[in-house]
Amino acid sequence: MPKSPPIALTIAGSDPSGGAGLQADLKTFHNQGVYGCSVVTLLTAQNTQGVQGIHPIPPSFVLSQWRSVTSDLKVSAIKTGALGTAEMIDLIADCLSDVTCPIVIDPVMISKHGHAIIDDDAVSQLTKRLLPLATLVTPNSLEAERLLDCRIRNEDELIRASQTLQSLTRGAVLVKAHLANESVDCLATADQVELFRSPRLQTDRTHGSGCVLSAAITANLSLGRSLLDAIVHARQFVHQAIQTAPVIGAGINPLELRGNGDSRSSVVDD
């Protein structure tokens, strides 16, 4: 009998165009060699050109999905994506409160096209209820600014923001920023700060890149990698997936997520 693969769960919104949200998460899980399952929090009408509509799933049905999945499958790692409302965040926090596997919180607040995906009331609940449960939080600089009501304009401000956010978690924070001509990600743990640098890719093929990074980290954690190794492998994968992305639509195109998992061992110079 074939050996069962690790199982990763995404709790996120749906992107019918397949470039972001739970669709991108599931593709990434598969690419990284783990079995993916999902709990859907909201539906969107969107494509590469923008978000045309958002429809939240009733929390009671989200809870039913959670119970169905977790009562049957042994989940090795969990990530959250777009949750939308304070009520939804409270529900997900309740669900995750007794979880012992790694939890990656991707605080999705705004789409690549600038469309708000989380309401103002939910931001404080995200900080109070979800961040303390996180093994890792993966905001981009705009999301970190909103969470902390601060500005991130240089490396020192990036480090301070990352350390402040880390103090709100049980684990670590990876803040993703574009500074000058570099992409600089700052990993803050309770003990240290580490910066990851790579050339900023001048491309419009980045739809769903935040979802893919957090999903790749989640997949690698479910495979048993350390947090640092999971981040390094995920960053390499995303860098390559952006470089090799095809043109799918007329707007901001998604990453290249096809493959059978071999790409997780690829090396891309940072």
Side-chain angles (χ1 to χ4, degrees):
M1 180 179 295
K3 183 180 178 181
S4 298
I7 298 173
L9 168 64
T10 175
I11 305 172
S14 169
D15 173 4
S17 70
L22 68 89
Q23 285 87 345
D25 292 343
L26 292 174
K27 292 176 186 178
T28 302
F29 291 163
H30 177 75
N31 185 287
Q32 298 295 290
V34 306
Y35 181 88
C37 55
S38 63
V39 170
V40 187
T41 56
L42 54 87
L43 304 177
T44 68
Q46 67 173 296
N47 52 32
T48 67
Q49 300 182 72
V51 178
Q52 293 80 44
I54 297 177
H55 179 70
I57 304 295
S60 60
F61 192 72
V62 173
L63 180 59
S64 294
Q65 295 178 71
W66 166 264
R67 288 173 173 168
S68 293
V69 171
T70 58
S71 66
D72 187 39
L73 306 182
K74 185 177 180 180
V75 175
S76 301
I78 299 170
K79 71 151 286 188
T80 68
L83 302 179
T85 66
E87 182 181 12
M88 187 68 72
I89 290 170
D90 280 337
L91 170 66
I92 300 307
D94 288 342
C95 291
L96 297 178
S97 60
D98 295 325
V99 166
T100 57
C101 69
I103 299 172
V104 177
I105 305 295
D106 186 13
V108 179
M109 297 183 183
I110 190 168
S111 75
K112 194 70 68 176
H113 309 87
H115 192 289
I117 299 176
I118 186 171
D119 60 37
D120 291 336
D121 292 339
V123 175
S124 62
Q125 288 303 97
L126 183 64
T127 303
K128 294 175 184 177
R129 296 292 321 275
L130 269 188
L131 296 196
L133 302 175
T135 304
L136 179 69
V137 185
T138 61
N140 60 36
S141 58
L142 295 177
E143 291 161 344
E145 287 177 342
R146 189 172 179 191
L147 286 167
L148 297 175
D149 191 22
C150 70
R151 293 290 303 276
I152 299 175
R153 295 160 294 189
N154 54 53
E155 196 170 286
D156 289 340
E157 292 177 347
L158 173 62
I159 291 172
R160 283 198 296 272
S162 302
Q163 291 175 315
T164 301
L165 278 175
Q166 188 282 324
S167 70
L168 303 176
T169 79
R170 70 177 186 185
V173 170
L174 183 70
V175 180
K176 305 160 291 182
H178 289 146
L179 302 177
N181 293 321
E182 282 189 314
S183 291
V184 183
D185 296 347
C186 180
L187 174 65
T189 68
D191 302 318
Q192 64 181 27
V193 169
E194 183 164 355
L195 296 178
F196 301 89
R197 306 177 187 276
S198 57
R200 185 174 181 179
L201 299 175
Q202 300 300 323
T203 179
D204 62 356
R205 302 174 193 182
T206 58
H207 178 53
S209 57
C211 300
V212 173
L213 178 66
S214 59
I217 294 171
T218 304
N220 278 276
L221 289 173
S222 75
L223 288 165
R225 296 189 188 278
S226 69
L227 179 61
L228 182 58
D229 283 348
I231 290 171
V232 170
H233 278 77
R235 291 187 77 254
Q236 292 172 345
F237 170 64
V238 170
H239 193 92
Q240 182 180 13
I242 292 174
Q243 286 184 314
T244 59
V247 174
I248 299 296
I252 301 174
N253 280 271
L255 283 60
E256 172 58 274
L257 300 180
R258 292 171 295 179
N260 59 6
D262 291 341
S263 59
R264 66 178 182 274
S265 62
S266 299
V267 176
V268 176
D269 292 335
D270 283 344

